[in-house]
mmCIF file of all heavy atoms in Angstrom:
data_model
loop_
_atom_site.group_PDB
_atom_site.id
_atom_site.type_symbol
_atom_site.label_atom_id
_atom_site.label_comp_id
_atom_site.label_asym_id
_atom_site.label_seq_id
_atom_site.Cartn_x
_atom_site.Cartn_y
_atom_site.Cartn_z
ATOM 1 N N SER A 260 -4.860 9.179 1.163
ATOM 2 C CA SER A 260 -5.908 9.320 0.156
ATOM 3 C C SER A 260 -5.566 8.599 -1.141
ATOM 4 O O SER A 260 -6.469 8.248 -1.896
ATOM 5 C CB SER A 260 -6.179 10.804 -0.128
ATOM 6 O OG SER A 260 -4.996 11.445 -0.569
ATOM 7 N N ASP A 261 -4.276 8.368 -1.398
ATOM 8 C CA ASP A 261 -3.836 7.707 -2.627
ATOM 9 C C ASP A 261 -2.707 6.744 -2.258
ATOM 10 O O ASP A 261 -1.563 7.154 -2.098
ATOM 11 C CB ASP A 261 -3.358 8.751 -3.633
ATOM 12 C CG ASP A 261 -2.858 8.162 -4.940
ATOM 13 O OD1 ASP A 261 -2.552 6.947 -4.998
ATOM 14 O OD2 ASP A 261 -2.762 8.926 -5.920
ATOM 15 N N ILE A 262 -3.042 5.482 -2.093
ATOM 16 C CA ILE A 262 -2.064 4.523 -1.596
ATOM 17 C C ILE A 262 -0.900 4.317 -2.566
ATOM 18 O O ILE A 262 0.231 4.101 -2.127
ATOM 19 C CB ILE A 262 -2.732 3.188 -1.194
ATOM 20 C CG1 ILE A 262 -1.810 2.408 -0.244
ATOM 21 C CG2 ILE A 262 -3.128 2.379 -2.409
ATOM 22 C CD1 ILE A 262 -2.481 1.311 0.521
ATOM 23 N N GLU A 263 -1.157 4.401 -3.869
ATOM 24 C CA GLU A 263 -0.056 4.235 -4.819
ATOM 25 C C GLU A 263 0.981 5.346 -4.652
ATOM 26 O O GLU A 263 2.179 5.094 -4.595
ATOM 27 C CB GLU A 263 -0.558 4.185 -6.269
ATOM 28 C CG GLU A 263 -1.164 2.864 -6.667
ATOM 29 C CD GLU A 263 -2.661 2.786 -6.379
ATOM 30 O OE1 GLU A 263 -3.252 3.769 -5.855
ATOM 31 O OE2 GLU A 263 -3.252 1.725 -6.660
ATOM 32 N N ALA A 264 0.521 6.592 -4.569
ATOM 33 C CA ALA A 264 1.438 7.722 -4.406
ATOM 34 C C ALA A 264 2.154 7.659 -3.055
ATOM 35 O O ALA A 264 3.366 7.887 -2.985
ATOM 36 C CB ALA A 264 0.682 9.041 -4.545
ATOM 37 N N SER A 265 1.427 7.343 -2.009
ATOM 38 C CA SER A 265 2.041 7.258 -0.676
ATOM 39 C C SER A 265 3.043 6.117 -0.600
ATOM 40 O O SER A 265 4.134 6.270 -0.031
ATOM 41 C CB SER A 265 0.965 7.082 0.395
ATOM 42 O OG SER A 265 0.151 8.231 0.460
ATOM 43 N N ARG A 266 2.683 4.993 -1.178
ATOM 44 C CA ARG A 266 3.581 3.835 -1.196
ATOM 45 C C ARG A 266 4.882 4.194 -1.913
ATOM 46 O O ARG A 266 5.975 3.868 -1.443
ATOM 47 C CB ARG A 266 2.880 2.658 -1.870
ATOM 48 C CG ARG A 266 3.748 1.434 -2.075
ATOM 49 C CD ARG A 266 3.002 0.333 -2.758
ATOM 50 N NE ARG A 266 2.713 0.675 -4.159
ATOM 51 C CZ ARG A 266 2.304 -0.187 -5.067
ATOM 52 N NH1 ARG A 266 2.135 -1.458 -4.746
ATOM 53 N NH2 ARG A 266 2.057 0.198 -6.292
ATOM 54 N N SER A 267 4.792 4.873 -3.034
ATOM 55 C CA SER A 267 5.980 5.278 -3.782
ATOM 56 C C SER A 267 6.842 6.249 -2.979
ATOM 57 O O SER A 267 8.073 6.121 -2.954
ATOM 58 C CB SER A 267 5.590 5.925 -5.112
ATOM 59 O OG SER A 267 4.989 4.980 -5.954
ATOM 60 N N ALA A 268 6.205 7.212 -2.330
ATOM 61 C CA ALA A 268 6.944 8.197 -1.536
ATOM 62 C C ALA A 268 7.659 7.535 -0.366
ATOM 63 O O ALA A 268 8.840 7.811 -0.100
ATOM 64 C CB ALA A 268 6.003 9.294 -1.044
ATOM 65 N N TRP A 269 6.957 6.659 0.356
ATOM 66 C CA TRP A 269 7.579 5.961 1.492
ATOM 67 C C TRP A 269 8.711 5.056 1.009
ATOM 68 O O TRP A 269 9.769 4.989 1.639
ATOM 69 C CB TRP A 269 6.535 5.154 2.267
ATOM 70 C CG TRP A 269 5.791 5.984 3.273
ATOM 71 C CD1 TRP A 269 4.602 6.628 3.090
ATOM 72 C CD2 TRP A 269 6.198 6.275 4.603
ATOM 73 N NE1 TRP A 269 4.241 7.285 4.236
ATOM 74 C CE2 TRP A 269 5.200 7.090 5.181
ATOM 75 C CE3 TRP A 269 7.298 5.918 5.373
ATOM 76 C CZ2 TRP A 269 5.275 7.562 6.489
ATOM 77 C CZ3 TRP A 269 7.378 6.380 6.683
ATOM 78 C CH2 TRP A 269 6.372 7.194 7.230
ATOM 79 N N ALA A 270 8.504 4.344 -0.078
ATOM 80 C CA ALA A 270 9.539 3.446 -0.602
ATOM 81 C C ALA A 270 10.793 4.235 -0.966
ATOM 82 O O ALA A 270 11.916 3.821 -0.648
ATOM 83 C CB ALA A 270 9.019 2.671 -1.810
ATOM 84 N N ALA A 271 10.619 5.385 -1.622
ATOM 85 C CA ALA A 271 11.768 6.210 -2.009
ATOM 86 C C ALA A 271 12.499 6.726 -0.770
ATOM 87 O O ALA A 271 13.735 6.692 -0.708
ATOM 88 C CB ALA A 271 11.305 7.370 -2.884
ATOM 89 N N MET A 272 11.750 7.187 0.233
ATOM 90 C CA MET A 272 12.371 7.708 1.443
ATOM 91 C C MET A 272 13.117 6.617 2.210
ATOM 92 O O MET A 272 14.223 6.819 2.694
ATOM 93 C CB MET A 272 11.330 8.346 2.367
ATOM 94 C CG MET A 272 11.950 8.911 3.643
ATOM 95 S SD MET A 272 10.745 9.494 4.836
ATOM 96 C CE MET A 272 9.943 7.988 5.331
ATOM 97 N N LEU A 273 12.507 5.429 2.305
ATOM 98 C CA LEU A 273 13.104 4.328 3.068
ATOM 99 C C LEU A 273 14.163 3.562 2.286
ATOM 100 O O LEU A 273 14.937 2.796 2.866
ATOM 101 C CB LEU A 273 12.005 3.351 3.525
ATOM 102 C CG LEU A 273 10.968 3.917 4.493
ATOM 103 C CD1 LEU A 273 9.816 2.935 4.654
ATOM 104 C CD2 LEU A 273 11.600 4.249 5.838
ATOM 105 N N GLY A 274 14.186 3.736 0.971
ATOM 106 C CA GLY A 274 15.115 2.975 0.146
ATOM 107 C C GLY A 274 14.730 1.509 0.059
ATOM 108 O O GLY A 274 15.583 0.627 -0.015
ATOM 109 N N LEU A 275 13.421 1.254 0.049
ATOM 110 C CA LEU A 275 12.892 -0.111 0.000
ATOM 111 C C LEU A 275 12.012 -0.282 -1.233
ATOM 112 O O LEU A 275 11.485 0.695 -1.765
ATOM 113 C CB LEU A 275 12.060 -0.405 1.256
ATOM 114 C CG LEU A 275 12.807 -0.424 2.582
ATOM 115 C CD1 LEU A 275 11.818 -0.547 3.731
ATOM 116 C CD2 LEU A 275 13.814 -1.563 2.605
ATOM 117 N N PRO A 276 11.808 -1.535 -1.655
ATOM 118 C CA PRO A 276 10.862 -1.755 -2.762
ATOM 119 C C PRO A 276 9.435 -1.449 -2.310
ATOM 120 O O PRO A 276 9.116 -1.517 -1.122
ATOM 121 C CB PRO A 276 11.031 -3.238 -3.095
ATOM 122 C CG PRO A 276 11.738 -3.842 -1.947
ATOM 123 C CD PRO A 276 12.442 -2.762 -1.201
ATOM 124 N N GLU A 277 8.604 -1.124 -3.272
ATOM 125 C CA GLU A 277 7.196 -0.872 -2.959
ATOM 126 C C GLU A 277 6.517 -2.191 -2.590
ATOM 127 O O GLU A 277 6.597 -3.159 -3.351
ATOM 128 C CB GLU A 277 6.485 -0.235 -4.147
ATOM 129 C CG GLU A 277 6.977 1.156 -4.451
ATOM 130 C CD GLU A 277 6.211 1.823 -5.578
ATOM 131 O OE1 GLU A 277 5.172 1.285 -6.023
ATOM 132 O OE2 GLU A 277 6.668 2.897 -6.016
ATOM 133 N N PRO A 278 5.837 -2.228 -1.451
ATOM 134 C CA PRO A 278 5.140 -3.468 -1.067
ATOM 135 C C PRO A 278 3.866 -3.667 -1.880
ATOM 136 O O PRO A 278 3.337 -2.738 -2.480
ATOM 137 C CB PRO A 278 4.806 -3.232 0.409
ATOM 138 C CG PRO A 278 4.697 -1.753 0.535
ATOM 139 C CD PRO A 278 5.692 -1.182 -0.452
ATOM 140 N N GLU A 279 3.389 -4.910 -1.870
ATOM 141 C CA GLU A 279 2.116 -5.236 -2.515
ATOM 142 C C GLU A 279 0.989 -4.482 -1.800
ATOM 143 O O GLU A 279 1.086 -4.178 -0.619
ATOM 144 C CB GLU A 279 1.840 -6.738 -2.420
ATOM 145 C CG GLU A 279 2.808 -7.593 -3.196
ATOM 146 C CD GLU A 279 2.679 -7.406 -4.694
ATOM 147 O OE1 GLU A 279 1.546 -7.286 -5.187
ATOM 148 O OE2 GLU A 279 3.732 -7.367 -5.360
ATOM 149 N N ILE A 280 -0.070 -4.224 -2.526
ATOM 150 C CA ILE A 280 -1.279 -3.632 -1.959
ATOM 151 C C ILE A 280 -2.316 -4.735 -1.844
ATOM 152 O O ILE A 280 -2.547 -5.486 -2.791
ATOM 153 C CB ILE A 280 -1.803 -2.489 -2.845
ATOM 154 C CG1 ILE A 280 -0.794 -1.341 -2.847
ATOM 155 C CG2 ILE A 280 -3.175 -2.019 -2.354
ATOM 156 C CD1 ILE A 280 -1.125 -0.233 -3.830
ATOM 157 N N SER A 281 -2.921 -4.845 -0.676
ATOM 158 C CA SER A 281 -3.997 -5.809 -0.465
ATOM 159 C C SER A 281 -5.278 -5.040 -0.133
ATOM 160 O O SER A 281 -5.231 -3.855 0.199
ATOM 161 C CB SER A 281 -3.654 -6.784 0.662
ATOM 162 O OG SER A 281 -3.502 -6.088 1.886
ATOM 163 N N VAL A 282 -6.402 -5.731 -0.228
ATOM 164 C CA VAL A 282 -7.700 -5.131 0.086
ATOM 165 C C VAL A 282 -8.347 -5.959 1.176
ATOM 166 O O VAL A 282 -8.336 -7.200 1.122
ATOM 167 C CB VAL A 282 -8.608 -5.072 -1.168
ATOM 168 C CG1 VAL A 282 -9.955 -4.462 -0.833
ATOM 169 C CG2 VAL A 282 -7.928 -4.290 -2.289
ATOM 170 N N THR A 283 -8.896 -5.274 2.183
ATOM 171 C CA THR A 283 -9.559 -5.987 3.263
ATOM 172 C C THR A 283 -10.763 -6.759 2.725
ATOM 173 O O THR A 283 -11.310 -6.424 1.668
ATOM 174 C CB THR A 283 -10.006 -5.022 4.378
ATOM 175 O OG1 THR A 283 -10.900 -4.049 3.841
ATOM 176 C CG2 THR A 283 -8.807 -4.335 5.026
ATOM 177 N N ASP A 284 -11.160 -7.758 3.472
ATOM 178 C CA ASP A 284 -12.271 -8.610 3.056
ATOM 179 C C ASP A 284 -13.609 -7.869 3.095
ATOM 180 O O ASP A 284 -13.764 -6.857 3.783
ATOM 181 C CB ASP A 284 -12.359 -9.841 3.961
ATOM 182 C CG ASP A 284 -11.245 -10.829 3.707
ATOM 183 O OD1 ASP A 284 -10.826 -10.982 2.543
ATOM 184 O OD2 ASP A 284 -10.784 -11.454 4.682
ATOM 185 N N THR A 285 -14.575 -8.427 2.399
ATOM 186 C CA THR A 285 -15.928 -7.881 2.378
ATOM 187 C C THR A 285 -16.626 -8.169 3.702
ATOM 188 O O THR A 285 -16.175 -8.980 4.513
ATOM 189 C CB THR A 285 -16.735 -8.492 1.217
ATOM 190 O OG1 THR A 285 -16.727 -9.913 1.359
ATOM 191 C CG2 THR A 285 -16.147 -8.105 -0.122
ATOM 192 N N LEU A 286 -17.737 -7.499 3.919
ATOM 193 C CA LEU A 286 -18.490 -7.607 5.169
ATOM 194 C C LEU A 286 -18.819 -9.050 5.528
ATOM 195 O O LEU A 286 -18.708 -9.447 6.689
ATOM 196 C CB LEU A 286 -19.777 -6.776 5.076
ATOM 197 C CG LEU A 286 -20.731 -6.856 6.268
ATOM 198 C CD1 LEU A 286 -20.061 -6.374 7.546
ATOM 199 C CD2 LEU A 286 -21.992 -6.049 5.982
ATOM 200 N N ASP A 287 -19.196 -9.873 4.553
ATOM 201 C CA ASP A 287 -19.597 -11.245 4.858
ATOM 202 C C ASP A 287 -18.442 -12.059 5.451
ATOM 203 O O ASP A 287 -18.675 -12.959 6.257
ATOM 204 C CB ASP A 287 -20.183 -11.945 3.628
ATOM 205 C CG ASP A 287 -19.212 -12.036 2.469
ATOM 206 O OD1 ASP A 287 -18.437 -11.079 2.254
ATOM 207 O OD2 ASP A 287 -19.225 -13.059 1.762
ATOM 208 N N THR A 288 -17.209 -11.744 5.107
ATOM 209 C CA THR A 288 -16.047 -12.450 5.645
ATOM 210 C C THR A 288 -15.465 -11.725 6.853
ATOM 211 O O THR A 288 -15.183 -12.336 7.878
ATOM 212 C CB THR A 288 -14.955 -12.593 4.562
ATOM 213 O OG1 THR A 288 -15.502 -13.316 3.463
ATOM 214 C CG2 THR A 288 -13.736 -13.324 5.100
#
């Protein structure tokens, strides 16, 4: 439900940097 919070939690657990967030393309693409 909250990618920023989930990304931070996973990064802390895995000991990895937080990955970039991307957004899927719009319907026309």
Side-chain angles (χ1 to χ4, degrees):
S260 58
D261 179 342
I262 200 163
E263 282 89 0
S265 295
R266 174 181 69 166
S267 294
W269 276 94
M272 180 187 67
L273 296 170
L275 295 173
E277 293 184 9
E279 294 293 320
I280 294 173
S281 62
V282 179
T283 59
D284 288 325
T285 57
L286 176 60
D287 60 323
T288 301

